[in-house]
Amino acid sequence: MNVLVSLAVFLVFTGALLLLRFRWPLFSTRARYRMIAIACVVCLVMGICAAMKWSTVYPWLNAACYLAAMVSYEFFIIVLFTRLQPRWLTSIIGIVVIVPLLSASFFLPISGLTRESMATVDLGSRFFSERLPWGFGGPQTSGTDLTLYYRSKWLPWMQREVLSSRYYGGQCDAWAAYAELQPDHRSALMVCPLWPGQTTGPVHPGVWGFK
């Protein structure tokens, strides 16, 4: 259901931008500059946060920020780029760069807007682990992302990703994956248990250093 909701939200905003493109000449110069400035700021801030791997502790707010970044990117392509001459060529290029956004890896983060909860564990020393399910269908087409964060003492609503691992349901019991903080506080033991009756598998426990 989260996949369908995420796709629907993405398509609604894409449709709104298409409408904005055709009505763009009706806006005043000041209004146009303001929209361009807002889109630039959103892309810049989200780019910096992504590069430094910082996010908030609220999934819905992270999803909203991610959605704002996607809409800003589409704004530059749909509203501005496709209006350049020759329009038949820029329109084709615009479609080519927009279509990949339909990949689940791009719009699934929007599901945080409707996600009820995720498995969060306090590992101690301000480190936390979050197990986030992804995909749909059977174990072969779904799994979980196990991510470790460090939450700032001075900014308790902010967290920085220090380690992440993706597990597939066909490899191990991805929904039971967990992490254990090591004594040096610079690494963690990442464990994805085998399914009951499974004796061997490609995923084994391992200690991984933080980024």
Side-chain angles (χ1 to χ4, degrees):
M1 181 60 69
N2 283 337
V3 176
L4 297 179
V5 172
S6 301
L7 180 59
V9 170
F10 172 77
L11 293 178
V12 166
F13 277 95
T14 301
L17 288 173
L18 286 172
L19 179 61
L20 176 63
R21 178 191 184 278
F22 292 110
R23 299 182 63 86
W24 186 249
L26 302 179
F27 289 90
S28 65
T29 302
R30 177 176 295 182
R32 295 181 195 177
Y33 279 129
R34 285 181 177 176
M35 284 187 279
I36 294 174
I38 292 174
C40 288
V41 171
V42 170
C43 288
L44 179 62
V45 172
M46 290 302 297
I48 294 175
C49 290
M52 300 182 66
K53 299 188 179 298
W54 281 94
S55 61
T56 74
V57 298
Y58 307 108
W60 63 269
L61 184 55
N62 292 331
C65 292
Y66 183 86
L67 176 60
M70 287 190 66
V71 172
S72 298
Y73 171 78
E74 284 192 296
F75 170 81
F76 286 117
I77 301 299
I78 296 176
V79 179
L80 300 182
F81 180 75
T82 59
R83 293 186 61 83
L84 298 177
Q85 298 293 343
R87 291 189 178 179
W88 66 268
L89 178 59
T90 55
S91 296
I92 293 176
I93 296 175
I95 294 174
V96 170
V97 297
I98 290 296
V99 167
L101 294 181
L102 294 175
S103 170
S105 60
F106 282 100
F107 66 78
L108 268 182
I110 306 174
S111 63
L113 292 170
T114 57
R115 187 182 303 121
E116 295 180 358
S117 62
M118 65 177 67
T120 302
V121 178
D122 186 351
L123 302 178
S125 301
R126 310 197 68 80
F127 287 95
F128 293 80
S129 69
E130 290 183 353
R131 190 174 63 243
L132 176 64
W134 55 266
F136 52 92
Q140 300 297 330
T141 58
S142 59
T144 62
D145 288 331
L146 182 61
T147 307
L148 273 62
Y149 296 96
Y150 174 79
R151 295 184 179 177
S152 171
K153 179 179 180 180
W154 308 107
L155 299 173
W157 60 88
M158 296 294 293
Q159 59 186 10
R160 182 173 64 87
E161 178 186 323
V162 296
L163 186 61
S164 182
S165 181
R166 169 163 290 190
Y167 298 106
Y168 294 83
Q171 297 176 323
C172 56
D173 187 358
W175 294 266
Y178 64 93
E180 295 180 355
L181 184 66
Q182 298 303 289
D184 60 2
H185 292 177
R186 295 183 178 180
S187 59
L189 175 66
M190 308 289 280
V191 181
C192 183
L194 300 179
W195 287 103
Q198 184 180 3
T199 57
T200 59
V203 179
H204 300 280
V207 176
W208 303 93
F210 294 158
K211 301 175 183 177

